[in-house]
Amino acid sequence: NMAVPSNLVYTQTPLYEYAVVPTTGTDLPAGPCRALWIAHNNVTDFTVITANGDSVVLTAGSGMALIPLRVKQISANAGSVKIIALY
């Protein structure tokens, strides 16, 4: 269960300045990203570690998706999912 901090402040920041193809199984080199862009041909599950350390299982469906989740690590089980970390 993820706990949402009571002092969480939402901001609107529509643009991403950097894009990095991450190495799975290790921390992202530039720290937690602001969002993930994923693409896959088949449905598959993979795990990410969020900026605050929660483990979350994502399902990559057939097609593309933008996941607005601050992630610091993508598990090695991402397999053939194409992932771009957005900053």
Side-chain angles (χ1 to χ4, degrees), residues 31-86:
C33 65
R34 294 172 52 203
L36 294 177
W37 176 87
I38 61 173
H40 199 262
N41 293 331
N42 302 305
V43 176
T44 188
D45 293 338
F46 65 98
T47 305
V48 297
I49 306 300
T50 64
N52 67 343
D54 292 324
S55 178
V56 178
V57 176
L58 299 177
T59 299
S62 181
M64 296 177 280
L66 179 66
I67 310 295
L69 185 63
R70 294 200 63 214
V71 170
K72 68 179 181 179
Q73 187 179 108
I74 300 159
S75 67
N77 72 339
S80 61
V81 177
K82 292 172 179 45
I83 302 171
I84 298 175
L86 301 171

